[in-house]
Amino acid sequence: MATTPLGEDNYPDPLVASPRGGAGLWRVAALGLVIIGAAAAFALFGDRLPQEVVMVFVGLLAVAGVFFLFGLAAGLFRFAASEERRTIARALVDTVGRGIVVADRDGKIAYANAHYGTFAGALNNGVPVSVPRLFSGQADAGEAMYRLTRAAKDGRNAIEDIRIVGGLGGSQTETNRAFWYRVAVRPLPQTDETSKPVVGWTVEDITRDRESNETAFLDLQRAIDYLDHSPAGFFSADAQGRIQYLNSTLADWLGYDLAEFNAGQLSLGDVVRGDGATLLMRGRRDGEITTEIIDIDLVRRNGTALPVRLLHRAARLADGELGETRTLVLDRSSAPENEEELRAAEVRFSRFFNDTPFAIATLDGEGRIVRTNAPFGRIFRWSGEEKSLELQPLHDLIGEGSREKLAKALSDATAQRTEVEPVDAQLSVEGDSAVRLYISASEVSAGSPEQVNVYALDMTDQRKLEAQFAQSQKMQAVGQLAGGVAHDFNNLLTAIIGFSDLLLLKHKPGDPSFSELMQIKQNANRAAGLTRQLLAFSRRQTLRPQVLELPLIVDDLTVLLKRMIGEKNQLSVEHGRNIWPIRADVVQLEQVVINLVVNARDAMPDGGSITVRTSNVTEDEARDFKFEGMVPADYVLIDVEDTGTGMSPEIMAKIFEPFFTTKELGKGTGLGLSTVYGIVKQTEGFIYPVSTVGVGTTFKIFLPRYVPTAEEVAAKTAAASAPAKDLTGHERILLVEDEESVRAFSARALRTTGYEVFEADGGEEALEVLEDLDYEVDLIISDVVMPEMDGPTMLKAIRDKMTNLKIIFVSGYAEESVRRDIEDDQSVDFLPKPYSLDQINSKVKEVLQRQDKLDG
């Protein structure tokens, strides 16, 4: 369309343009009055004025006149009539393609450009009307104009799009057509030409733009509708695998309501079966966009499988990051009759290929990955978001120690050898992930780079199980050894403690030898405590809770703990005041403290300090702790604090798991803290680690405060005030013990208290002694483990002839383990080794008195 250039003849003069203003006119009038006054003065008083004054005044007027003439010629001055309006700023406003009106806040117009007059109703008898009046007759514009008028009065910016059917003047030919007008108002800054605040109005016909936008929107809606209802599914996902769009067809296939779908609500893992999501998160390494054909199963909302063929496009950006994917989905759940068999075979193969529990890949002649199945990324711990697997050398995915063996296997496969030795390898990623690779030659076809097939089994869990099994076998062997050693030591300690008791009967506290004998007995008792720990380690110790004073237990362990942590570590023990008693098994509790101190030592390879504290925690104080699961109550707290390397939150979450250890292979069983956790829980307590990496770790053990019942207090008081028990007797006792020193002590202890004692060194000799005595004995005391015939076997042999027999089995093993070997234990009592003089006499008296009551 040709346009006519604007010139002097067709310049669009504004409808209204106020003059420059009253201030300029007043200045001209004042100057004129001054000149007229001066002329009148000269006319009236000229003869009285000196000639020099008159000449000076005339000269000044002549100079001013010449100056203004030159200024007018040079363009320094213009006449204000028409030229002043033709400035660049004024020309821009006069020629703009929208109506512009400048008015004060009451609506009085100071300026209106020519374009404003093109709107129907903008002129009334040739005079422009205000913008609010222009739209006053349009019902559809009422609310918008009210808001605009309020903004004009308040001096605010405002803009409204107004829709008027038929337009402002009412179209005669398009009465149903909607016309759109954009009306805006904004306050204008104060100028020399204005005496009060003014606002600028703009009115623009935007009908054509609106219609263009609506047309484009309708075209887009039609395109989306075509895509939504196409006979194929479609979806798009971002680099994190979040689905940003899926069409109606795919939503129907999968059972989702498209009206409820929001971008990012579903992920590829929600709609792709198994590990198939990794196949869609790859893209070419060089960034080239290519279309892949992938046969796979999608997952419907109800969990059933939908076999599909994907036409998939994914590309990586310039920085290597994965961009958004575009995927066309073809339904393969049905096919024409003549293609059904082929379709079913393809679906079976795709499921076999992608749903296997092992990884499959094909390599080119240089050992680079060409194609993989879905589980490959998971088994090789490869995230498709970071980098593409395509053309990635396989040897980069495994540790350096196996790469040479892999290279040989690939060489054998490319040489078409039928037997290729499997390759066991650690993965190059962090952790203990391991795979076993089975490699074979692929069928070579023209144009295909695939030459080698690789099948990879995830061996991580199996390796861990093998290591745990080997460790448990070692622990079982160590436990058996510890149990055997403890059993033999118990026999020796029984004799040492027993003969010490016999000597203490002759040497009273005032005797010079009394203190030496007490030292022997006390050290023997300490040794007995060590054997109890060995038996607890081998799970053969009878565990009995008792009321304990915790500070005494910790103090007794101090010497042992200092020896265990070594010279470069310092151990300090701090006890609170009046520590409450607890009820626990002393052996278990000692094991807890020992394990935690040893762990603290191992956490300080360069040395450090370990602090063991005991304190009381009231119920109110326990309530202030934020440890998960701890019930507010009165507790005795044990803190084991070190200044070691500390632990991260990830490690702290696993430290109580069996076989979990951060120590090097062969230096830790992974059972220490799990055992500690089990013991604390059995004692109805709680244990929590508090750790900071690089600062240290504190294990907090909360054990319930023991409050004795009234019955227990009364029983304890009665026992303290009761007269000494009578441990003497006259009954006949058969003592069966293969360890001569133990037998000698026990026989002497019983004879000292009046019993008639017969001895046998084993089960067979015991049968002979009983036969000689016509089985007339009141009690048999027998060891459990003896050569040739053990205690339980002897009991079976004599049970028929001695139906009312009472027997006490003695053993260094736990009572529970002994009773498992005794079928008939209705009359069997148990006495653990090592035992003292008082313990054996008390046990014998208890059993015989019980028998007397039954007979009576």
Side-chain angles (χ1 to χ4, degrees), residues 382-417:
W382 189 270
S383 174
E385 303 171 16
E386 300 171 359
K387 196 176 180 182
S388 175
L389 272 172
E390 186 178 6
L391 300 182
Q392 181 74 24
L394 182 61
H395 67 77
D396 287 351
L397 305 184
I398 65 174
E400 293 183 3
S402 304
R403 291 178 181 176
E404 184 176 347
K405 192 173 182 180
L406 173 64
K408 182 179 183 305
L410 294 176
S411 176
D412 291 343
T414 53
Q416 299 293 318
R417 289 191 172 89

Side-chain angles (χ1 to χ4, degrees), residues 351-428:
R351 289 180 176 175
F352 169 78
F353 185 68
N354 288 310
D355 296 345
T356 59
F358 50 87
I360 303 175
T362 57
L363 312 180
D364 61 14
E366 299 179 13
R368 298 178 300 182
I369 297 171
V370 177
R371 186 164 53 132
T372 70
N373 70 339
F376 190 92
R378 172 177 55 83
I379 291 177
F380 279 84
R381 312 296 191 267
W382 189 270
S383 174
E385 303 171 16
E386 300 171 359
K387 196 176 180 182
S388 175
L389 272 172
E390 186 178 6
L391 300 182
Q392 181 74 24
L394 182 61
H395 67 77
D396 287 351
L397 305 184
I398 65 174
E400 293 183 3
S402 304
R403 291 178 181 176
E404 184 176 347
K405 192 173 182 180
L406 173 64
K408 182 179 183 305
L410 294 176
S411 176
D412 291 343
T414 53
Q416 299 293 318
R417 289 191 172 89
T418 56
E419 294 185 5
V420 179
E421 186 176 355
V423 177
D424 289 325
Q426 294 287 122
L427 298 185
S428 58

Side-chain angles (χ1 to χ4, degrees), residues 522-538:
Q522 288 174 0
N523 282 280
N525 284 329
R526 283 188 60 192
L530 293 175
T531 60
R532 283 197 301 270
Q533 291 185 26
L534 286 173
L535 288 169
F537 177 77
S538 63

Side-chain angles (χ1 to χ4, degrees), residues 251-485:
D252 289 341
W253 290 351
L254 299 179
Y256 290 97
D257 185 353
L258 193 60
E260 299 177 358
F261 172 77
N262 294 315
Q265 176 183 349
L266 295 175
S267 67
L268 288 176
D270 296 326
V271 300
V272 182
R273 185 176 178 185
D275 298 311
T278 60
L279 295 176
L280 307 181
M281 301 288 291
R282 295 184 179 174
R284 289 177 61 92
R285 299 177 67 190
D286 54 11
E288 181 183 347
I289 300 177
T290 60
T291 301
E292 297 180 82
I293 299 177
I294 302 173
D295 291 329
I296 203 169
D297 281 356
L298 299 185
V299 181
R300 295 187 179 96
R301 192 172 189 175
N302 60 9
T304 58
L306 173 68
V308 295
R309 170 165 289 175
L310 305 181
L311 303 181
H312 178 69
R313 307 190 79 174
R316 293 191 175 271
L317 306 178
D319 56 1
E321 293 185 4
L322 185 68
E324 290 196 355
T325 64
R326 305 287 187 270
T327 307
L328 190 66
V329 185
L330 304 179
D331 185 2
R332 305 182 67 209
S333 59
S334 60
E337 186 176 348
N338 58 346
E339 298 179 8
E340 181 63 29
E341 185 175 348
L342 178 60
R343 182 203 64 82
E346 290 177 342
V347 170
R348 282 194 297 269
F349 174 76
S350 68
R351 289 180 176 175
F352 169 78
F353 185 68
N354 288 310
D355 296 345
T356 59
F358 50 87
I360 303 175
T362 57
L363 312 180
D364 61 14
E366 299 179 13
R368 298 178 300 182
I369 297 171
V370 177
R371 186 164 53 132
T372 70
N373 70 339
F376 190 92
R378 172 177 55 83
I379 291 177
F380 279 84
R381 312 296 191 267
W382 189 270
S383 174
E385 303 171 16
E386 300 171 359
K387 196 176 180 182
S388 175
L389 272 172
E390 186 178 6
L391 300 182
Q392 181 74 24
L394 182 61
H395 67 77
D396 287 351
L397 305 184
I398 65 174
E400 293 183 3
S402 304
R403 291 178 181 176
E404 184 176 347
K405 192 173 182 180
L406 173 64
K408 182 179 183 305
L410 294 176
S411 176
D412 291 343
T414 53
Q416 299 293 318
R417 289 191 172 89
T418 56
E419 294 185 5
V420 179
E421 186 176 355
V423 177
D424 289 325
Q426 294 287 122
L427 298 185
S428 58
V429 297
E430 293 184 6
D432 298 326
S433 302
V435 293
R436 173 169 292 174
L437 304 175
Y438 295 89
I439 298 171
S440 62
S442 177
E443 180 67 24
V444 180
S445 61
S448 174
E450 299 171 293
Q451 296 188 27
V452 177
N453 296 328
V454 177
Y455 308 91
L457 294 180
D458 189 351
M459 303 293 289
T460 305
D461 292 339
Q462 182 174 338
R463 294 285 172 81
K464 289 181 180 178
L465 289 174
E466 289 174 354
Q468 291 176 6
F469 180 75
Q471 187 69 28
S472 64
Q473 291 289 93
K474 181 174 72 175
M475 296 300 295
Q476 182 179 356
V478 172
Q480 290 175 345
L481 175 62
V485 170

Side-chain angles (χ1 to χ4, degrees), residues 476-499:
Q476 182 179 356
V478 172
Q480 290 175 345
L481 175 62
V485 170
H487 176 267
D488 291 340
F489 264 100
N490 276 332
N491 283 330
L492 298 175
L493 293 172
T494 301
I496 295 172
I497 294 171
F499 282 114

